[in-house]
Each structure stands twice: as structure tokens, then as C-alpha cells.
Amino acid sequence: MITLGRGSVEDYVAHLKACDGLFPTKLSDRVDLFDYASKLQHRATSFELWEDGRLVGLLSAYMDTDIVFISHICVLPEAPPRSGHTLLEVLFKEVRRIGKRRIRLNVEATNERAVAFYVRHGFVDVGQKNEFVVMERF
């Protein structure tokens, strides 16, 4: 079941640590996990997937500008099948509800699986930012 912003900073830190090695470049090599978890918990709108009391899927987006920005999405391997799709669909529904039209994210260019996942969900490549592909859904 998807919940909205129920998790604590500690829940987010535990989730980020569990996801750390799932990215081509470890998340902890790019950000301080506690600071990032705090920022997500306090400033982002977060859609959470819990399984047996454990946060196994998290999508966090900043929704305070014209363009919604997905800052984080990660689903652990033990999450139910299609959990990433479910998290995105819940976000899309919320974006429509609040009247926004564009969603943007950055994904590592070497993460071909993630790029393909986003393309399947209507995102298009709109440019490069360092080692990241900038993608948008209109």
C-alpha cells in the first residue's frame, strides 16, 4: 500500500542505505545520506511503499514549482513486482490533481535500465547535466 509522507528521517536513512548500492554510482558517494533524507522528509512530497513495517519503495518529488522534480525513486528488490510503476502512477495522479503539467528528473546516463523505465512511462530526454540525462514528461 502506498502512503504519503508517513516515514521519519530515520526510515528514509535506512531506505537510502538499502538502496545505496543499487545505483551505478553509490548515492552515498554523491550526498550525505542523513542530510538528503532530512531534506526529502521535510521538503519533498514522498510516496512510500511499506512491507512488513519496512520502507521498500520511495518516490520523493518537489512539487513547489511549475515543474515537478523527482529527486529520488528507489524500490528495493524485495518489494512487490511493479512497485516502481505503482509509485510513478500515484505521482502522476497527484500531479494531475494539483494541476501541474510537467515532471522532470535526472538519471545517470549509464543507468540504461532506469532510462528505459522512464521512457516506458512517457519521459523524454531533454538534455544532459554532467553525467546525468535530464528527462521530462509533459
Side-chain angles (χ1 to χ4, degrees):
M1 177 174 141
I2 305 292
T3 62
L4 186 60
R6 177 181 106 185
S8 67
V9 171
E10 291 76 20
D11 293 323
Y12 285 17
V13 169
H15 177 76
L16 294 174
K17 285 180 179 178
C19 288
D20 199 25
L22 300 176
F23 296 99
T25 302
K26 290 176 69 173
L27 189 58
S28 61
D29 288 344
R30 293 185 270 143
V31 297
D32 177 276
L33 296 182
F34 181 82
D35 290 345
Y36 187 50
S38 296
K39 184 178 175 185
L40 293 177
Q41 205 274 338
H42 292 103
R43 293 191 49 223
T45 299
S46 293
F47 303 90
E48 306 163 350
L49 178 61
W50 295 85
E51 190 81 16
D52 297 324
R54 183 170 181 226
L55 184 60
V56 296
L58 178 65
L59 186 157
S60 296
Y62 297 106
M63 303 178 84
D64 55 350
T65 63
D66 289 342
I67 300 172
V68 171
F69 182 78
I70 297 174
S71 181
H72 176 79
I73 183 171
C74 182
V75 175
L76 298 178
E78 58 270 28
R82 302 191 50 79
S83 294
H85 302 277
T86 302
L87 286 167
L88 272 180
E89 290 301 323
V90 171
L91 172 70
F92 296 160
K93 183 177 178 181
E94 180 64 10
V95 167
R96 284 190 302 273
R97 187 189 72 75
I98 64 173
K100 305 279 180 160
R101 300 194 188 281
R102 292 170 57 191
I103 304 170
R104 179 179 294 156
L105 58 86
N106 298 336
V107 59
E108 283 185 272
T110 59
N111 194 344
E112 295 172 2
R113 184 172 175 216
V115 170
F117 171 78
Y118 295 125
V119 167
R120 283 192 308 277
H121 287 281
F123 287 86
V124 295
D125 179 337
V126 295
Q128 288 283 132
K129 183 177 180 182
N130 301 318
E131 68 275 8
F132 295 93
V133 176
V134 179
M135 300 186 82
E136 286 191 7
R137 183 176 195 262
F138 303 92

